[in-house]
Amino acid sequence: MTTTVAPLDVETIRKDFPILSRTVHGDRPLVYLDNAATSQKPRQVLDAIVRYYETSNANVHRGVHSLAEEATALYEGARDKVAAFVNAPSRDEVVFTKNSSEAMNLVARVLGEAGPGYRVGAGDEIVITEMEHHSNIVPWHQLAERTGATLKWFRITDEGRLDLSDLDSVITERTKIVSMVHVSNLLGTINPVERVIARAREVGALVLLDASQSVPHMPVDVAALGADFVAFTGHKMLGPTGIGVLWGRLPLLQELPPFLGGGEMIAAVTMERSTYAEPPHKFEAGTPPIAEAVGLGAAVDYLTAVGMPAIAAHEHGLTEYVLEALSSVEGVRIVGPPTAQDRVAEVSFTFGDIHPHDVGQLLDAQGVAVRVGHHCARPAVLRYGIPATTRASFYLYNTRAEVDALVAGLAQVRKVFG
Amino acid sequence: MNIESMYQEIILDHYKNPHGRGLRDPYDAESFQVNPTCGDEVTLRVAVEQDRIGDVSYEGQGCSISQASTSVLTDLVTGRSVDEALTTMDAFVEMVQGRGKVEPDEDVLEDGVAFAGVAKYPARVKCALLGWMAFKDAVSRVEGAAR
């Protein structure tokens, strides 16, 4: 961190999250270390959703009554908040989706149906990486199957970094789209996306970033990043489930065909044909997730008030601490970069030959919630010659004492399995 | 509930010292089963001699629950008639899917009763059943071939 920021008042922050004071398995305090799967929600977000339903609930964009006006203002206000949060040049570049997966599926789908300029067809190449979440692999498999395009990918190194040694041969004049993860949900790696984007620019390829694990944890400026699309999801950034975001450059969103058809995404409909609305509504068919957008707006307000640089600094400190703590536990092998440089506070590891499911179950018995399995990134897990990992992932409300609880929990696991 | 009720000594013993492990010939049918949510897998072979379960052999990788329950399976079905083996399987399935409300019969399930605690952990029920699903599939293949 080059900027100096005041440390977070974590104890005060924790009081905003009702769930963090509950216990599990009787009287065990909850140690929630599964934030890469989903984050917990502060009272401010829960209140905003309840307040919306109690006072303003109506459908949006289609009523002249007071509630409809209020609901529309709240929904569109959430779009303004999200646009400001990621420094989008225009609010119309923020498309609300169901989640990151839907955002990426949207791009993959419309690129197969686009006009000649952007259309992905037979002979074209799609580039991803070996560290993608399944949500950034499967849609491209599907697009390749539909169109006859070819899928290529960057490999990853033993240390969990992207191997860009073949940058110029993987991304070529044939490449139409490069879709890659900004921060890996398995390895915690922050990828050097600017190098990939620069190469993509040279050959005229589009770039989609899966920012599901970056936008919640660090300042992200979509204008500065220089990608064409950025996808992220509300529930990993203190918001509710059911709402995600696709940011896209406006000229692209204007030119690309719509995704789903239905209400709200049209300009005019006759029995013979339909014409479509301008972005972002063009990509938001049907009644949108209104309360969810309101909740996401409140989450963005919360994160902004705490300060993303301060959150990133806090988590960087946790990353250093957990890496050091885990490397001192006999039998732990960290899967991912061994240092905190260009890395977030998500740590995957194996523990001797004890299966991650057993590790996770026995940690849970002590109140420590972690994720086990392949984390929807099976190719990357297999790359390391293992079937699964245990993953501890942190957020603004986590403390060093919780890292210590994880380490103590592992000692108990060792006891049971001897 | 206490986690020890799931990780019983019997289960850990079977996990650390599995019975009947290793794929062997001859066999009449083989089944490969995988749990897509966690990647646990087992390949299991069954030999059937005159309507009795002969050798049951297997290879697999996964958590203690999936591997130990397959080890227990070999003890419970080897040498039994096909009907008896399937009845035992039904009792095991009923127990682990019973959400802790099914009282297991130790005379039928022997070491298998150690898995009663798994029933209270819905995420792990599939682990306990992985080998049994392979057994069921393999037996039905043998019977299918016989018809």
Side-chain angles (χ1 to χ4, degrees):
Chain A
M1 294 292 116
T2 49
T3 49
T4 311
V5 290
L8 291 192
D9 180 357
V10 176
E11 284 316 307
T12 301
I13 286 171
R14 288 181 71 86
K15 293 196 178 86
D16 289 332
F17 291 79
I19 208 169
L20 296 180
S21 61
R22 70 160 282 183
T23 58
V24 290
H25 297 296
D27 56 356
R28 300 278 181 175
L30 172 68
V31 176
Y32 186 76
L33 306 182
D34 194 17
N35 294 284
T38 198
S39 66
Q40 298 303 344
K41 324 302 174 195
R43 172 74 66 199
Q44 289 84 338
V45 168
L46 306 175
D47 286 350
I49 295 169
V50 171
R51 198 181 321 119
Y52 164 74
Y53 276 127
E54 285 184 349
T55 65
S56 306
N57 178 54
N59 213 325
V60 292
H61 301 134
R62 31 169 101 48
V64 293
H65 57 78
S66 301
L67 297 188
E69 298 282 12
E70 286 178 27
T72 302
L74 283 166
Y75 179 70
E76 292 300 330
R79 196 189 311 277
D80 291 326
K81 290 175 183 187
V82 170
F85 187 65
V86 296
N87 197 32
S90 163
R91 69 183 308 279
D92 294 336
E93 296 179 331
V94 173
V95 176
F96 284 134
T97 62
K98 185 170 69 179
N99 45 34
S100 294
S101 295
E102 190 183 65
M104 294 189 281
N105 273 273
L106 187 163
V107 175
R109 170 71 61 158
V110 302
L111 287 181
E113 297 167 357
Y118 298 115
R119 179 193 293 257
V120 173
D124 293 333
E125 292 178 354
I126 301 160
V127 172
I128 60 173
T129 84
E130 201 178 7
M131 67 167 82
E132 299 308 318
H133 188 282
H134 295 165
S135 61
N136 199 24
I137 299 176
V138 181
W140 306 110
H141 284 166
Q142 293 174 313
L143 178 62
E145 275 172 28
R146 278 200 305 276
T147 62
T150 304
L151 185 69
K152 295 166 76 176
W153 55 89
F154 290 108
R155 297 195 176 282
I156 45 185
T157 68
D158 289 345
E159 281 211 340
R161 301 283 181 192
L162 207 53
D163 179 0
L164 293 180
S165 60
D166 51 2
L167 179 61
D168 291 350
S169 58
V170 172
I171 299 178
T172 69
E173 302 291 334
R174 292 175 192 268
T175 308
K176 272 289 175 64
I177 172 86
V178 179
S179 189
M180 66 180 289
V181 73
H182 191 189
V183 169
S184 162
N185 76 310
L186 173 76
L187 306 166
T189 315
I190 303 174
N191 283 318
V193 292
E194 57 291 339
R195 279 189 66 196
V196 179
I197 292 169
R199 173 60 185 158
R201 284 285 163 268
E202 285 175 8
V203 300
L206 295 173
V207 179
L208 164 60
L209 290 184
D210 173 3
S212 304
Q213 302 291 351
S214 57
V215 166
H217 299 284
M218 63 185 71
V220 170
D221 178 333
V222 295
L225 272 175
D228 298 289
F229 304 100
V230 175
F232 52 100
T233 192
H235 72 92
K236 294 189 200 293
M237 52 189 287
L238 312 185
T241 55
I243 184 150
V245 175
L246 175 69
W247 171 83
R249 289 196 296 113
L250 193 56
L252 272 170
L253 295 181
Q254 286 165 335
E255 182 160 340
L256 289 169
F259 175 44
L260 303 175
E264 191 52 39
M265 52 75 72
I266 49 91
V269 177
T270 63
M271 286 315 293
E272 287 74 30
R273 63 187 296 269
S274 305
T275 56
Y276 306 120
E278 287 298 306
H281 306 294
K282 175 185 182 178
F283 298 101
E284 295 181 359
T287 296
I290 306 166
E292 290 79 0
V294 172
L296 177 57
V300 162
D301 284 344
Y302 189 92
L303 291 169
T304 304
V306 175
M308 290 309 294
I311 291 170
H314 171 72
E315 293 185 27
H316 186 72
L318 281 176
T319 309
E320 289 176 328
Y321 189 74
V322 70
L323 287 174
E324 191 178 325
L326 283 180
S327 58
S328 70
V329 177
E330 197 190 328
V332 166
R333 171 191 161 205
I334 288 167
V335 180
T339 72
Q341 191 188 350
D342 293 328
R343 194 192 207 294
V344 299
E346 295 167 13
V347 183
S348 269
F349 59 94
T350 58
F351 189 33
D353 58 1
I354 307 171
H355 194 278
H357 270 188
D358 295 321
V359 175
Q361 195 87 59
L362 288 161
L363 287 175
D364 174 66
Q366 300 165 76
V368 181
V370 295
R371 171 90 189 264
V372 297
H374 52 48
H375 315 288
C376 297
R378 191 164 175 271
V381 174
L382 296 183
R383 153 72 178 74
Y384 292 100
I386 47 178
T389 74
T390 302
R391 181 188 68 191
S393 55
F394 300 79
Y395 210 177
L396 74 165
Y397 39 65
N398 289 122
T399 65
R400 292 187 176 202
E402 291 180 303
V403 175
D404 297 340
L406 169 66
V407 171
L410 289 174
Q412 282 299 115
V413 175
R414 172 65 80 194
K415 239 182 187 171
V416 172
F417 278 86
Chain B
M1 77 176 281
N2 195 326
I3 192 74
E4 272 73 41
S5 63
M6 185 162 99
Y7 286 98
Q8 296 211 357
E9 276 307 314
I10 296 172
I11 293 178
L12 294 172
D13 282 348
H14 276 275
Y15 178 54
K16 291 169 188 167
N17 304 295
H19 303 180
R21 197 177 172 92
L23 291 174
R24 291 178 292 275
D25 289 313
Y27 64 96
D28 295 300
E30 179 178 289
S31 175
F32 171 72
Q33 298 289 320
V34 59
N35 182 344
T37 59
C38 63
D40 283 8
E41 56 185 56
V42 65
T43 302
L44 183 143
R45 291 175 175 177
V46 175
V48 179
E49 297 148 12
Q50 295 174 340
D51 217 30
R52 294 198 96 75
I53 304 294
D55 190 34
V56 176
S57 68
Y58 68 96
E59 243 346 307
Q61 62 167 19
C63 64
S64 59
I65 304 299
S66 69
Q67 302 305 305
S69 84
T70 310
S71 170
V72 168
L73 177 155
T74 65
D75 288 352
L76 286 178
V77 302
T78 306
R80 302 285 175 85
S81 74
V82 170
D83 282 348
E84 280 174 333
L86 292 178
T87 302
T88 303
M89 183 185 78
D90 290 343
F92 188 85
V93 172
E94 189 192 0
M95 174 185 71
V96 299
Q97 289 183 342
R99 300 195 168 271
K101 296 192 176 73
V102 177
E103 192 60 44
D105 183 345
E106 192 161 359
D107 291 339
V108 175
L109 291 176
E110 303 174 21
D111 278 5
V113 296
F115 292 85
V118 175
K120 290 178 184 161
Y121 294 87
R124 304 305 293 280
V125 169
K126 272 188 183 170
C127 307
L129 292 180
L130 188 69
W132 292 89
M133 291 304 106
F135 177 71
K136 183 182 185 182
D137 182 47
V139 168
S140 72
R141 283 166 197 247
V142 175
E143 294 188 326
R147 278 197 298 273

